[in-house]
């Protein structure tokens, strides 16, 4: 099946290895995409694990899971990226996540996410709603 993140690749060749811990995103965009796919599949443990320890305390598993499961995740659109390449330590990704909420309303979550790499691993730090 095509990956939830709309890369056009198979889920098994795209976000799935990151979510199940068999691979490591090389770029901030790959991590961002896999976090979207994690929302789409309610992979809460991965969402927490890929959040930087400094901001992880602002997220709790239960509310993440409720939000992930109450929405139907439709589509991801990556608008732009800055840095976040394998050689970088920081990067940002602007994206739109399209979903249908629990009231059946179409919603667009437009965010600029910040990422930081430590010990060769990318983490989501925080996001600004646009
Ligand atoms: Zn993907």
């Amino acid at each position: 099946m095509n990956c939830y993140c709309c890369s056009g690749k198979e889920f098994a060749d795209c976000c799935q290895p990151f979510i199940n811990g068999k691979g490591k995103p090389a770029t901030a965009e790959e991590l961002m995409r896999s976090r979207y796919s994690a929302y789409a599949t309610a992979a809460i443990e991965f969402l927490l694990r890929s959040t930087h320890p400094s901001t992880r305390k602002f997220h709790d598993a239960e509310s993440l899971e409720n939000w992930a499961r109450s929405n139907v995740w439709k589509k991801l659109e990556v608008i732009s990226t800055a840095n976040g390449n394998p050689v970088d330590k920081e990067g940002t990704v602007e994206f739109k996540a399209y979903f249908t909420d629990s009231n059946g309303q179409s919603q667009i979550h437009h965010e600029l996410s910040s990422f930081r790499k430590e010990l060769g691993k990318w983490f989501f730090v925080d996001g600004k709603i646009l």
Side-chain angles (χ1 to χ4, degrees), residues 32-85:
M32 189 275 127
R33 287 179 171 279
S34 60
R35 286 176 53 85
Y36 172 85
S37 294
Y39 276 106
T41 56
I44 306 309
E45 198 267 335
F46 174 74
L47 290 171
L48 290 171
R49 181 158 43 88
S50 62
T51 299
H52 193 268
S54 67
T55 52
R56 199 177 286 161
K57 60 180 176 288
F58 302 123
H59 305 272
D60 80 274
E62 195 180 332
S63 50
L64 277 174
E65 177 151 22
N66 287 340
W67 201 62
R69 288 192 191 280
S70 67
N71 299 320
V72 178
W73 299 90
K74 298 288 205 195
K75 182 172 80 158
L76 174 68
E77 203 180 292
V78 173
I79 311 287
S80 65
T81 62
N83 303 315
N85 294 306

Side-chain angles (χ1 to χ4, degrees), residues 16-31:
Q16 192 177 37
F18 304 144
I19 291 171
N20 66 21
K22 293 200 166 73
K24 226 167 39 169
T27 65
E29 181 179 342
E30 284 181 0
L31 177 57

